[in-house]
Amino acid sequence: MRRVYTRKSMTEYDPRLVTPTCLYLASKAEESTVQARLLVFYIKKIQSDEKYKYEIKHILEMEMKILEALDYYLVVFHPYRALSQLLQDAGLNDINMTQLTWGLVNDTYKMDLILIHPPYLIALACIYIASVLREKDTTAWFEELHVDMNVVKNISIEILDFYENHRTITEERIISALGKLPLKS
């Protein structure tokens, strides 16, 4: 869905139609097909106020538009394979480093990094952050890789900025915001 909106605007493609269509398309790409009629059925069941106006034909039509917008390219490469290999190469494949870096990679999916940078660079940035947090000296190992450390550091900064931005949203602010919502009677 993020890839669609990097190329098309939300005013052009309604998110209430794009979301189930992307789910439908992803299920087909992963060979775990979910029927379009079931998607529409459950969305309408959840949206009990009859606001959801789309039918099966709309999802199928949007599927073609999304495929065209993505140039029929549905492959997304993930950093996990590179992460495992790089951790082993660096001699950092103990359980603590593996869990920490894996968690960092998981959090990168909440950002657009996977759409912008190659997976191995995201994996390297996660290893860089984890090695700093765990006080592991990886300087010599990074120098041997012959990668542009400015790119790795920039990705690391983006990840850390993400955490910083989410830390400022305290539980008190969430409760306060929820308290301002009108209640249904």
Side-chain angles (χ1 to χ4, degrees):
M1 188 168 145
R2 283 186 179 177
R3 287 172 64 190
V4 171
Y5 288 121
T6 59
R7 297 171 185 211
K8 299 292 180 180
S9 104
M10 286 191 173
T11 57
E12 189 177 356
Y13 284 6
D14 184 356
R16 290 171 296 198
L17 179 57
V18 170
T19 303
T21 305
C22 285
L23 180 62
Y24 175 66
L25 191 54
S27 74
K28 287 172 70 175
E30 293 295 324
E31 298 179 3
S32 301
T33 306
V34 173
Q35 295 177 4
R37 69 178 175 80
L38 287 176
L39 278 174
V40 171
F41 172 78
Y42 284 111
I43 291 169
K44 286 184 175 184
K45 189 174 180 178
I46 292 170
Q47 297 282 334
S48 58
D49 55 1
E50 302 297 325
K51 285 185 179 179
Y52 192 78
K53 62 184 180 223
Y54 297 112
E55 297 294 334
I56 298 167
K57 68 177 184 171
H58 298 111
I59 289 178
L60 298 177
E61 288 169 3
M62 183 55 73
E63 177 186 18
M64 292 310 299
K65 290 179 183 178
I66 288 172
L67 284 169
E68 288 173 12
L70 297 176
D71 295 326
Y72 298 92
Y73 187 73
L74 301 178
V75 177
V76 175
F77 293 100
H78 303 283
Y80 297 107
R81 180 176 298 159
L83 178 66
S84 298
Q85 292 169 345
L86 289 166
L87 283 170
Q88 188 171 3
D89 183 60
L92 299 171
N93 53 342
D94 63 83
I95 192 72
N96 290 330
M97 283 297 285
T98 302
Q99 287 178 342
L100 178 57
T101 54
W102 201 271
L104 289 166
V105 168
N106 286 346
D107 289 342
T108 64
Y109 283 91
K110 298 173 186 171
M111 302 169 253
D112 292 337
L113 292 176
I114 196 72
L115 304 176
I116 300 168
H117 301 287
Y120 78 96
L121 288 175
I122 295 170
L124 286 173
C126 292
I127 291 171
Y128 179 75
I129 292 169
S131 64
V132 169
L133 291 173
R134 294 288 189 252
E135 298 178 352
K136 305 253 184 186
D137 184 17
T138 55
T139 309
W141 180 75
F142 274 107
E143 286 174 359
E144 288 176 15
L145 293 177
H146 302 291
V147 296
D148 186 351
M149 281 307 291
N150 289 325
V151 174
V152 173
K153 286 180 181 176
N154 287 338
I155 295 170
S156 300
I157 289 168
E158 284 188 59
I159 294 168
L160 294 172
D161 283 347
F162 170 80
Y163 288 124
E164 183 64 31
N165 290 335
H166 282 78
R167 188 166 31 135
T168 60
I169 302 173
T170 62
E171 188 174 343
E172 292 83 30
R173 286 180 62 193
I174 293 170
I175 292 170
S176 172
L178 289 174
K180 293 176 184 176
L181 292 174
L183 297 175
K184 287 184 178 181
S185 46

